[in-house]
């Protein structure tokens, strides 16, 4: 009772490697709880990381009481639950010709709240990025 879940993920892709990481998460509690996740991805030269997460949790009663509070920095996310979601991932494209992509879908209903966004910082030459974020 009255605990939280705090996740930390670090993925490092060595030179010319490819890493694909898919996770799923469900939080079935029927009272207020906290879910906080920090994910860091680091690519060395010519490496690629594909990271995805799908999450669902108890959203609270229709009157807006209860539910899971969700605070994240994950790069590719689909969430269908949680009473409140705050999600602000960012990417730093330091190497020349690097590419970053961010995709997000947030589904809300009744008293659910979703506040989302992302930041792409272009430091290297000829970098490019794509951000697709949808709230329903």
């Amino acid at each position: 009772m009255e605990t939280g879940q705090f996740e930390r993920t670090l993925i490092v892709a060595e030179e010319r490697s490819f890493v694909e990481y898919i996770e799923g998460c469900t939080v079935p509690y029927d009272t207020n709880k906290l879910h906080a996740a920090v994910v860091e991805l680091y690519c060395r030269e010519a490496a690629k990381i594909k990271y995805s997460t799908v999450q669902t949790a108890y959203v609270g009663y229709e009157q807006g009481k209860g539910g899971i509070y969700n605070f994240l920095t994950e790069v590719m996310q689909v969430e269908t639950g949680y009473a409140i979601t705050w999600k602000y991932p960012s990417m730093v494209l330091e190497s020349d010709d690097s590419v970053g992509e961010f995709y997000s879908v947030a589904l809300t209903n009744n008293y659910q709240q979703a506040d989302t966004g992302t930041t792409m910082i272009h430091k290297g030459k000829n970098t490019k990025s794509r951000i697709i974020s949808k709230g329903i």
Side-chain angles (χ1 to χ4, degrees), residues 75 89-91 93 100-104 116-122 128-134:
V75 177
S90 62
M91 287 187 205
L93 304 173
E101 295 182 349
F102 172 79
Y103 301 92
S104 172
T116 67
T118 192
T119 303
M120 292 283 188
I121 300 169
H122 295 257
K128 59 183 175 179
S129 65
R130 173 181 293 169
I131 300 171
I132 297 177
S133 182
K134 302 292 181 186

Side-chain angles (χ1 to χ4, degrees), residues 98-117:
S98 59
V99 177
E101 295 182 349
F102 172 79
Y103 301 92
S104 172
V105 177
L107 305 172
T108 61
N109 172 358
N110 295 323
Y111 288 89
Q112 287 178 279
Q113 300 173 37
D115 188 358
T116 67

Side-chain angles (χ1 to χ4, degrees), residues 79-97:
E79 72 262 347
T80 60
Y82 301 103
I84 297 174
T85 294
W86 291 339
K87 175 175 54 175
Y88 290 96
S90 62
M91 287 187 205
V92 179
L93 304 173
E94 288 187 349
S95 299
D96 294 348
D97 302 309

Side-chain angles (χ1 to χ4, degrees), residues 8 10 28 31 38-39 42 48 60 64 67 69 92 99-100 104 113 116-117 122 131:
R8 176 73 176 199
L10 173 62
T31 60
V38 175
V39 175
Y42 181 78
K48 182 177 180 180
Y69 303 134
V92 179
V99 177
S104 172
Q113 300 173 37
T116 67
H122 295 257
I131 300 171

Side-chain angles (χ1 to χ4, degrees), residues 7 9 11 19-25 39 41 49-55 74-78 103:
E7 298 176 37
T9 303
I11 298 173
V19 176
E20 184 169 5
Y21 183 86
I22 302 170
E23 71 174 0
C25 179
V39 175
L41 309 175
I49 297 175
K50 184 177 179 182
Y51 173 90
S52 304
T53 182
V54 177
Q55 301 181 359
E74 296 169 326
V75 177
M76 193 285 188
Q77 167 127 17
V78 176
Y103 301 92

